């Protein structure tokens, strides 16, 4: 064997230097398109299989909160006690916390990075936190030392929080003015019967300390949303007795805050598939339906294993509800709270119907809804999601109301259950959610409203725009005109292509469900998603992930021609785009019959052209690429042979 190898080597060298031999060009190929990208190797915390590693950890944040809503001065005032569990392998001398109400000041980073002409993320500038009586305790040691910078607060401990299960408590009093404009995420709205308070980012909360970045403490600027640990919440809201308070989690004291009439209606709603009024439109100002006619009431809520809570409060609420049936046999409750300005069968009177259908669909198809309520609140907010509660536009109706309700409830799966980092990777929640919204909309009332995600060729103008950006662009960095595509539609189309074109429904669904189950209530990174989908589906998808999710290239498959060859046909194909894709084509014969042929993506590994030998004793009349028009192919003019043939 050794002698043969030497002989072959000598022949090769002799050939290179023989008289008259011409220099040989190195043959190029496209292997680089198929190589792994980014560091996706495993470690003790995150396995290369896309699963948490044997020493994966995350910290826990449990909250006890007691606040009062002052509807005269529009002020929230209260106290928070955070119990912080440090499951990391390092002891912690301090923790970082988010003070997101500090965005609403004149000199906040968010204010100073908002364009003069404004945008969706406008915010008031006369707010911000007042913090007092802070105490940070580890066992018997206590500290009152903290530092505030913009929307972040660093809390120091006298003794560090021990690693691997050590606990600390941080308590403080806080107060702030509720903004009218709350960056389209929270705020207040005046309607005829009162003010609607949409309360989110309403208390100081701990930042995430993880194995990837350490402290995740990017400032709250605008487009970037949230990244939070999980824990249990026990919170009380004292509001005027005239108010109805709806919130994330389960109401603990209905006898203290609800009249007997409303309690009876709620019991009926728990068993009803159709919407039941708790407060009817004509009863909004009927104080006999309140537990008290004057003073205040304290509403007590609890929610377990959640990353956040939010609430709505108003004396102007119409309130209705219905039961949600879950696959395990458990029940939850859909609720809607809205003013009379939003009432009507064309509008918010169908909100609870929409909410119930949305949650039931996602529970059946992907992962069971874990929360006791799903509340939809009408507010002056385009659409914003929190665990178990949405704020949606009070003027929305019809298809628009269905769309925003379904989208915001879909967020309970991404990122409320699968807890990705929204501030960095908006595509891992907005894009994934937009994808599952497509199937929910197809399913609702057998397609009552249109679902257009599969009309990918309607978006090729953006795909070829010189101003386009990559999906991996951080939301606070991206041009807001691109945000809808790079955070929502392009990643959603990516999943659609994986399901409908690349993997097929069965393989994709197995992998995607496994990803949700594996990372439920945990913190996946992009590499974890890529690794998991590859490992469960059994397909190396680096060629797609790298080019679609981390690039700005496009798809452009083409037909160069069809030639007869020894009684069969050679179909010449070309890849003129930057993204290789499997080839699906419909071949139609002279006798009117047709067949579909699929060629694997590996045909493009060696180069950008491929000749396919199609064996048949029939006469080919025409060939069409991507007959279902799933691909956002940026040049449809070369998708058919002969060129004059094209079916849209």
């Amino acid at each position: 064997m050794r002698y043969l190898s030497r002989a072959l080597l000598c022949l090769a060298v002799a050939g290179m230097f023989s008289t008259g031999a011409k220099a040989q060009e190195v043959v190029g190929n496209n292997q680089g398109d198929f190589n792994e990208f980014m560091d996706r190797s495993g470690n003790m915390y995150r396995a290369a299989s896309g699963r948490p590693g044997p020493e994966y950890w995350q910290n826990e944040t449990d909250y006890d909160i007691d606040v009062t809503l002052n509807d005269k001065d529009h002020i929230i005032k209260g106290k928070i006690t955070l119990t912080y569990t440090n499951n990391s392998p390092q002891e912690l001398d301090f923790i970082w916390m988010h003070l997101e109400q500090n965005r609403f000041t004149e000199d906040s980073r968010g204010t100073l990075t908002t364009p003069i002409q404004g945008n969706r993320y406008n915010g008031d500038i006369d707010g911000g936190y007042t913090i007092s009586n802070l105490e940070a305790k580890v066992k018997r040691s206590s500290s009152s030392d903290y530092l505030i910078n913009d929307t972040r607060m660093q809390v120091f401990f006298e003794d560090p929080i021990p690693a691997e299960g050590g606990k600390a408590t941080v308590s403080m009093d806080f107060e702030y003015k509720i903004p009218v404009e709350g960056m389209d995420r929270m705020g207040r709205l005046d309607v005829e019967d009162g003010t609607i308070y949409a309360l989110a980012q309403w208390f100081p909360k701990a930042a995430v300390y993880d194995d990837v970045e350490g402290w995740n403490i990017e400032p709250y600027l605008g487009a970037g949303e949230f990244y939070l640990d999980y824990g249990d919440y026990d919170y009380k809201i004292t509001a005027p007795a005239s108010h109805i308070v709806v919130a994330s989690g389960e109401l603990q004291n209905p006898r203290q805050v609800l009249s007997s009439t409303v309690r009876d209606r709620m019991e009926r709603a728990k068993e009803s598939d159709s919407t039941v009024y708790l407060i009817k439109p004509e009863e909004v100002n009927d104080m006999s339906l309140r537990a008290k006619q004057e003073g205040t009431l304290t509403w007590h809520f609890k929610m377990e294993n959640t990353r956040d809570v939010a609430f709505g409060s108003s004396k102007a609420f119409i309130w209705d509800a219905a039961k949600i049936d879950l696959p395990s046999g458990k029940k939850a409750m859909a609720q809607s709270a809205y003013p009379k300005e939003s009432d009507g069968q064309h509008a918010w009177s169908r909100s609870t119907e929409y909410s119930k259908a949305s949650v039931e669909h996602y529970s059946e198809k992907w992962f069971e809804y874990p929360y006791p309520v799903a509340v939809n609140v009408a507010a002056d907010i385009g659409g914003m999601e929190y665990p178990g509660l949405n704020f949606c536009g009070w003027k929305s109706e019809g298809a628009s109301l269905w769309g925003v309700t379904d989208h915001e409830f879909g967020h309970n799966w991404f990122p409320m259950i699968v807890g990705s980092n929204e501030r960095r990777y908006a595509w891992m929640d907005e894009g994934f959610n937009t994808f599952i919204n497509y199937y929910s909309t197809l399913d609702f009332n057998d397609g009552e409203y249109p679902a257009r995600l599969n009309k990918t060729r309607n978006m090729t103008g953006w795909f070829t725009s010189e101003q386009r950006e990559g999906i991996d662009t951080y939301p606070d960095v991206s041009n807001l005109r691109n945000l809808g595509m790079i955070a929502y539609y392009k990643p959603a189309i990516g999943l659609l292509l994986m399901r409908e074109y690349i993997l097929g429904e069965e393989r994709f669904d197995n992998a995607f469900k496994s990803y949700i189950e594996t990372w439920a209530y945990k913190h996946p990174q992009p590499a974890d998603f890529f690794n998991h989908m590859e490992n469960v589906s059994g397909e190396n998808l680096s060629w797609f992930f790298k080019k679609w999710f981390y690039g700005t290239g496009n798809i452009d498959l083409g037909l160069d021609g069809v030639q007869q060859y020894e009684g069969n046909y050679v179909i010449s194909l070309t890849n003129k785009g930057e993204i290789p894709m499997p080839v699906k084509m419909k071949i139609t014969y002279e006798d009117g019959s047709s067949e579909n042929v699929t060629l694997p993506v590996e045909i493009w590994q060696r180069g950008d052209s491929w000749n396919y030998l199609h064996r048949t004793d029939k006469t080919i009349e025409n060939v069409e690429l991507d007959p279902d028009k799933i691909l956002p192919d940026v040049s449809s003019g070369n998708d058919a042979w002969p060129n004059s043939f094209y079916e849209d």
Side-chain angles (χ1 to χ4, degrees):
M1 189 70 181
R2 184 179 179 189
Y3 170 78
L4 178 61
S5 297
R6 285 182 175 177
L8 289 173
L9 177 61
C10 290
L11 285 171
V13 172
M16 290 172 62
F17 292 100
S18 62
T19 303
K22 296 181 179 179
Q24 302 295 307
E25 293 184 4
V26 176
V27 177
N29 59 49
N30 291 331
Q31 183 58 46
D33 291 342
F34 291 81
N35 289 340
E36 298 292 341
F37 78 107
M38 69 167 43
D39 182 6
R40 289 158 58 197
S41 56
N43 57 44
M44 66 184 71
Y45 303 127
R46 297 170 189 269
S49 64
R51 295 180 178 274
E55 297 185 31
Y56 176 84
W57 57 268
Q58 64 190 47
N59 293 342
E60 181 178 338
T61 52
D62 302 310
Y63 294 87
D64 194 306
I65 313 170
D66 195 337
V67 297
T68 297
L69 169 61
N70 177 338
D71 68 341
K72 304 299 182 186
D73 300 317
H74 309 301
I75 286 174
I76 285 282
K77 185 175 183 178
K79 180 174 182 176
I80 178 175
T81 299
L82 161 67
T83 301
Y84 189 90
T85 304
N86 176 25
N87 294 316
S88 81
Q90 298 90 28
E91 61 180 25
L92 299 176
D93 298 319
F94 58 83
I95 66 170
W96 281 99
M97 300 186 70
H98 295 291
L99 297 181
E100 282 148 344
Q101 287 298 316
N102 281 357
R103 164 62 176 80
F104 306 112
T105 61
E106 190 173 12
D107 60 352
S108 73
R109 293 192 188 187
T111 299
L112 296 175
T113 55
T114 299
I116 294 173
Q117 68 272 22
N119 58 33
R120 175 185 173 183
Y121 304 109
N122 283 352
D124 288 1
I125 58 173
D126 61 346
Y129 275 110
T130 299
I131 301 293
S132 60
N133 299 322
L134 183 141
E135 185 177 23
K137 298 177 67 175
V138 176
K139 296 180 180 178
R140 295 183 180 180
S141 69
S142 177
S143 169
S144 59
D145 192 11
Y146 65 92
L147 180 155
I148 293 176
N149 178 267
D150 194 52
T151 59
R152 295 81 55 86
M153 176 168 66
Q154 190 174 22
V155 178
F156 299 93
F157 298 96
E158 184 175 291
D159 295 325
I161 312 173
E164 299 178 345
K167 293 183 181 292
T169 61
V170 177
S171 61
M172 70 189 83
D173 296 330
F174 64 93
E175 179 179 339
Y176 59 87
K177 182 180 179 182
I178 302 166
V180 174
E181 288 195 73
M183 296 173 63
D184 205 25
R185 296 209 167 96
M186 54 87 62
R188 62 183 201 260
L189 167 68
D190 290 332
V191 293
E192 183 176 329
D193 293 317
T195 300
I196 294 174
Y197 294 91
L199 273 301
Q201 288 78 59
W202 59 280
F203 59 93
K205 60 190 72 169
V208 172
Y209 181 74
D210 65 22
D211 61 287
V212 179
E213 294 292 331
W215 286 107
N216 290 260
I217 198 61
E218 285 91 354
Y220 183 39
L221 299 178
E225 293 186 357
F226 311 106
Y227 183 37
L228 300 164
D229 276 318
Y230 292 88
D232 298 337
Y233 287 69
D234 188 324
Y235 63 108
K236 297 175 181 177
I237 301 157
T238 300
S242 59
H243 279 217
I244 296 296
V245 178
V246 291
S248 304
E250 187 169 10
L251 179 64
Q252 301 296 299
N253 60 338
R255 288 188 170 274
Q256 284 69 51
V257 295
L258 302 177
S259 67
S260 60
T261 300
V262 174
R263 293 200 308 273
D264 289 344
R265 293 173 179 176
M266 186 168 282
E267 290 303 311
R268 291 207 309 273
K270 288 179 180 178
E271 304 300 324
S272 176
D273 285 318
S274 57
T275 301
V276 174
Y277 278 116
L278 308 180
I279 300 290
K280 300 176 183 178
E282 64 270 21
E283 296 172 338
V284 167
N285 292 307
D286 184 353
M287 291 301 106
S288 69
L289 292 175
R290 306 298 198 262
K292 286 172 60 178
Q293 278 66 54
E294 58 184 20
T296 62
L297 289 170
T298 298
W299 301 65
H300 183 192
F301 297 90
K302 286 186 179 181
M303 197 172 191
E304 297 179 348
N305 200 22
T306 181
R307 47 177 265 165
D308 201 359
V309 290
F311 71 94
S313 183
S314 182
K315 64 179 181 179
F317 280 151
I318 300 167
W319 192 17
D320 61 36
K323 76 176 169 73
I324 295 172
D325 295 306
L326 300 173
S328 67
K330 294 180 180 179
K331 309 292 182 186
M333 180 179 281
Q335 299 180 21
S336 298
Y338 51 96
K340 66 183 182 184
E341 289 88 342
S342 305
D343 192 22
Q345 277 301 309
H346 63 292
W348 275 79
S349 294
R350 295 190 69 186
S351 166
T352 292
E353 175 196 353
Y354 296 160
S355 305
K356 170 182 167 67
S358 180
V359 172
E360 287 180 349
H361 170 85
Y362 298 129
S363 295
E364 183 66 36
K365 190 166 184 65
W366 303 116
F367 188 90
E368 184 164 299
Y369 187 72
Y371 307 128
V373 294
V375 185
N376 207 20
V377 181
D380 192 18
I381 295 167
M384 188 60 204
E385 73 281 355
Y386 298 92
L389 183 142
N390 306 328
F391 300 123
C392 292
W394 65 298
K395 294 182 179 180
S396 295
E397 55 186 48
S400 175
L401 181 58
W402 159 259
V404 68
T405 300
D406 182 51
H407 180 79
E408 305 312 336
F409 276 123
H411 273 302
N412 282 280
W413 282 262
F414 308 101
M416 307 309 168
I417 294 172
V418 182
S420 57
N421 185 343
E422 299 178 273
R423 197 155 290 181
R424 289 190 171 198
Y425 312 116
W427 60 272
M428 293 184 74
D429 74 290
E430 298 293 359
F432 290 13
N433 186 26
T434 300
F435 167 74
I436 65 174
N437 298 159
Y438 170 70
Y439 296 99
S440 178
T441 301
L442 288 177
D443 184 64
F444 179 65
N445 277 355
D446 295 321
E448 178 178 350
Y449 298 122
R452 300 186 178 91
L453 185 65
N454 64 335
K455 307 297 184 184
T456 62
R457 299 198 179 194
N458 293 341
M459 305 179 198
T460 55
W462 183 86
F463 284 120
T464 57
S465 166
E466 292 183 357
Q467 281 74 47
R468 69 188 185 276
E469 296 172 286
I471 288 173
D472 57 324
T473 308
Y474 286 4
D476 282 322
V477 177
S478 71
N479 186 321
L480 287 182
R481 288 176 292 183
N482 286 329
L483 190 62
M485 283 299 298
I486 65 176
Y488 295 73
Y489 289 104
K490 189 179 179 185
I493 290 170
L495 298 190
L496 181 79
L497 296 181
M498 289 170 63
R499 187 176 195 265
E500 306 284 350
Y501 193 93
I502 299 170
L503 295 175
E505 294 181 6
E506 186 175 12
R507 291 171 71 198
F508 177 89
D509 288 358
N510 286 341
F512 199 55
K513 287 179 183 178
S514 178
Y515 168 71
I516 297 171
E517 292 168 1
T518 298
W519 289 98
Y521 315 109
K522 297 181 177 67
H523 295 315
Q525 296 288 316
D528 299 315
F529 170 70
F530 298 144
N531 283 341
H532 199 91
M533 293 301 292
E534 287 190 346
N535 277 266
V536 180
S537 70
E539 195 76 30
N540 186 334
L541 296 167
S542 288
W543 55 270
F544 182 63
F545 293 144
K546 173 167 52 178
K547 296 287 189 172
W548 189 264
F549 289 92
Y550 278 69
T552 56
N554 283 310
I555 297 169
D556 184 7
L557 301 180
L559 274 165
D560 277 350
V562 178
Q563 302 289 332
Q564 288 186 325
Y565 177 74
E566 296 184 354
N568 296 298
Y569 288 88
V570 172
I571 301 175
S572 297
L573 301 161
T574 183
N575 178 22
K576 296 185 177 181
E578 296 84 3
I579 304 176
M581 292 294 291
V583 174
K584 294 189 177 185
M585 51 187 164
K586 179 180 179 181
I587 301 173
T588 303
Y589 300 105
E590 193 175 47
D591 64 4
S593 63
S594 64
E595 65 175 303
N596 292 323
V597 172
T598 299
L599 303 180
V601 71
E602 286 82 4
I603 65 173
W604 307 120
Q605 282 186 316
R606 295 190 184 92
D608 295 329
S609 60
W610 184 258
N611 290 323
Y612 162 64
L613 178 62
H614 185 68
R615 294 178 172 85
T616 182
D617 57 4
K618 296 183 179 183
T619 300
I620 292 181
E621 186 171 87
N622 53 65
V623 180
E624 181 184 8
L625 298 184
D626 185 24
D628 295 326
K629 300 297 176 281
I630 295 293
L631 296 181
D633 193 304
V634 296
S635 179
S636 59
N638 59 0
D639 286 358
W641 177 90
N643 289 337
S644 59
F645 168 77
Y646 186 79
E647 289 182 355
D648 193 4

